[in-house]
Amino acid sequence: MIFQSPGAVAFELGPFTIHWYGILIAIAFIVALLICCHVAKEKNENPDNFTDLATYVLIFAIIGARLYYVIFNFSDYENDIISIFKIWQGGLAIHGGIIGGLIAGFVFTKVKKLSFPKYCDITCLGLIIGQAIGRWGNFFNSEAFGTPADLPWKLYIPPDKRPAEFLYDSYFHPTFLYESLWNFIVFFILYFALRKPLNKYNGALFFCYMGLYSLGRFFIEGLRTDSLMVFNLFRTAQVISILFIVISAISLFFILRKNKNSNISSN
């Protein structure tokens, strides 16, 4: 048995070509929404709000993910601007998606006069499980793999998908799989270990998500062969991951301290 992609195309329906990447994004979206609606009920929030919010978040997340990728990889698109819109071919950066989704969520909650931190706490549970599922789109596209590897779970990459410097290497680290597994672990930590203890600290669960996800992403990114770069010196995802970890740690400190001081004052 060779661990390799069966191809990017799932099936063809007349003139339409259905790609695995699109199918997985749709599945990730549905699962994430179901989880958000379930948790919303626990927090006495209207699940219908998340059905409305999900559409805006999805649109802005895809736009943000694509723009982020294109900005840091513009040389691949400057001679073929139309290919920027071909998202089924891959090229969505999750950090850009998170930023785009946060913008949509912030505007939505402000217009609806809802608690943005509380909605972030609920949404992050759906987001991390959606990321775990969506990463498999990279598998079918034979992308987002790591350096050459000779492991039982090594991933075969076709010659036309390999970087020039690894043209004669056949097997690579399946970094998409590493990140998918890490995201599932983060989901279980957030949902089963932290969700209830942090229930009264609005925003705390979201920053735990941001920090935990970024911690795993930092190390996994070091194995990637297709990383976006800053000034051709630093891996963009690693720089952003460090920034997110720092922001998360500082934010959690102030959230927990604020609530501790509030409890002391009330006593």
Side-chain angles (χ1 to χ4, degrees):
M1 292 292 291
I2 298 178
F3 185 30
Q4 70 177 102
S5 167
V9 177
F11 58 90
E12 295 184 353
L13 193 62
F16 301 103
T17 300
I18 310 301
H19 293 77
W20 282 112
Y21 203 90
I23 292 174
L24 285 160
I25 288 178
I27 293 173
F29 175 76
I30 293 170
V31 173
L33 179 58
L34 290 173
I35 290 173
C36 288
C37 289
H38 171 71
V39 178
K41 292 177 182 178
E42 292 184 345
K43 284 181 164 284
N44 297 316
E45 292 291 332
N46 186 355
D48 291 341
N49 286 337
F50 286 88
T51 303
D52 297 335
L53 173 61
T55 303
Y56 298 108
V57 168
L58 178 64
I59 293 171
F60 277 82
I62 291 176
I63 292 173
R66 188 58 168 173
L67 284 177
Y68 185 101
Y69 183 86
V70 170
I71 288 170
F72 286 102
N73 211 29
F74 189 69
S75 59
D76 290 350
Y77 299 95
E78 58 184 346
N79 296 322
D80 185 14
I81 300 298
I82 298 300
S83 63
I84 291 175
F85 302 97
K86 298 178 181 179
I87 61 173
W88 57 86
Q89 295 179 350
L92 296 175
I94 186 59
H95 283 131
I98 292 172
I99 294 169
L102 283 173
I103 292 172
F106 180 79
V107 173
F108 181 87
T109 53
K110 289 302 176 184
V111 171
K112 295 283 189 177
K113 295 181 172 57
L114 302 168
S115 171
F116 179 60
K118 180 185 284 190
Y119 271 61
C120 283
D121 285 344
I122 298 171
T123 304
C124 74
L125 293 168
L127 177 58
I128 190 64
I129 202 72
Q131 289 174 237
I133 296 170
R135 267 298 170 198
W136 282 85
N138 299 136
F139 165 68
F140 288 100
N141 280 358
S142 293
E143 61 184 4
F145 51 87
T147 52
D150 187 17
L151 299 165
W153 54 86
K154 60 190 177 185
L155 175 67
Y156 176 78
I157 297 296
D160 63 313
K161 296 288 186 177
R162 301 171 194 165
E165 64 269 30
F166 299 124
L167 184 60
Y168 299 105
D169 293 289
S170 300
Y171 299 96
F172 299 80
H173 279 285
T175 47
F176 83 89
L177 175 62
Y178 301 161
E179 188 167 334
S180 179
L181 292 174
W182 176 248
N183 289 342
F184 277 119
I185 291 171
V186 172
F187 170 76
F188 281 104
I189 292 172
L190 294 176
Y191 190 86
F192 293 104
L194 299 177
R195 179 171 53 95
K196 291 184 178 179
L198 295 178
N199 185 54
K200 62 181 179 180
Y201 305 109
N202 286 341
L205 193 67
F206 173 78
F207 286 114
C208 286
Y209 149 75
M210 184 185 287
L212 287 171
Y213 166 71
S214 298
L215 180 65
R217 179 62 186 272
F218 177 84
F219 290 104
I220 295 169
E221 190 67 24
L223 292 172
R224 292 271 294 266
T225 59
D226 60 344
S227 297
L228 302 177
M229 305 295 289
V230 179
F231 306 123
N232 291 320
L233 295 173
F234 307 103
R235 295 173 187 263
T236 307
Q238 289 187 315
V239 173
I240 298 298
S241 292
I242 292 173
L243 180 62
F244 278 9
I245 290 170
V246 172
I247 292 173
S248 299
I250 294 173
S251 299
L252 281 169
F253 172 78
F254 282 107
I255 289 172
L256 296 177
R257 190 177 76 166
K258 179 182 177 181
N259 281 273
K260 181 180 179 180
N261 292 338
S262 297
N263 291 335
I264 293 173
S265 299
S266 62
N267 292 332

Coordinates of all heavy atoms in Angstrom, one line a residue, residues 200 259-267:
K200 N -17.1 31.1 32.1 CA -17.5 32.5 32.6 C -16.4 33.5 32.2 O -16.6 34.7 32.5 CB -17.6 32.5 34.1 CG -16.4 32.1 34.9 CD -16.6 32.1 36.4 CE -15.4 31.7 37.2 NZ -15.6 31.7 38.6
N259 N -11.2 39.0 35.8 CA -12.3 38.3 36.5 C -11.9 37.9 37.9 O -12.8 37.9 38.8 CB -12.5 37.0 35.7 CG -13.4 37.2 34.5 OD1 -14.6 37.2 34.5 ND2 -12.7 37.4 33.3
K260 N -10.7 37.7 38.2 CA -10.2 37.5 39.6 C -10.5 38.7 40.5 O -11.0 38.6 41.6 CB -8.8 37.1 39.6 CG -8.3 36.8 41.0 CD -6.8 36.4 41.0 CE -6.3 36.1 42.4 NZ -4.8 35.7 42.4
N261 N -10.1 39.9 39.9 CA -10.3 41.1 40.6 C -11.8 41.4 40.8 O -12.2 41.9 41.8 CB -9.6 42.3 39.9 CG -8.1 42.2 39.9 OD1 -7.5 41.5 40.8 ND2 -7.4 42.8 38.9
S262 N -12.6 41.0 39.8 CA -14.0 41.3 39.9 C -14.6 40.4 41.0 O -15.5 40.9 41.8 CB -14.7 40.9 38.6 OG -14.3 41.8 37.6
N263 N -14.1 39.2 41.2 CA -14.6 38.3 42.2 C -14.3 38.8 43.6 O -15.0 38.7 44.6 CB -14.1 36.9 42.0 CG -14.7 36.2 40.8 OD1 -15.8 36.5 40.4 ND2 -13.9 35.3 40.2
I264 N -13.0 39.4 43.7 CA -12.6 39.9 45.0 C -13.4 41.1 45.4 O -13.8 41.3 46.5 CB -11.1 40.3 44.9 CG1 -10.2 39.0 44.7 CG2 -10.7 41.1 46.2 CD1 -8.7 39.3 44.5
S265 N -13.7 42.0 44.4 CA -14.5 43.2 44.6 C -15.9 42.8 45.1 O -16.5 43.4 46.0 CB -14.5 44.0 43.4 OG -13.2 44.5 43.0
S266 N -16.5 41.8 44.5 CA -17.9 41.4 44.8 C -17.9 40.8 46.2 O -19.0 40.8 46.8 CB -18.4 40.4 43.8 OG -17.6 39.2 43.7
N267 N -16.8 40.2 46.6 CA -16.8 39.6 48.0 C -16.5 40.7 49.1 O -16.8 40.4 50.2 CB -15.7 38.5 48.0 CG -16.1 37.3 47.2 OD1 -17.3 37.0 47.0 ND2 -15.1 36.6 46.7

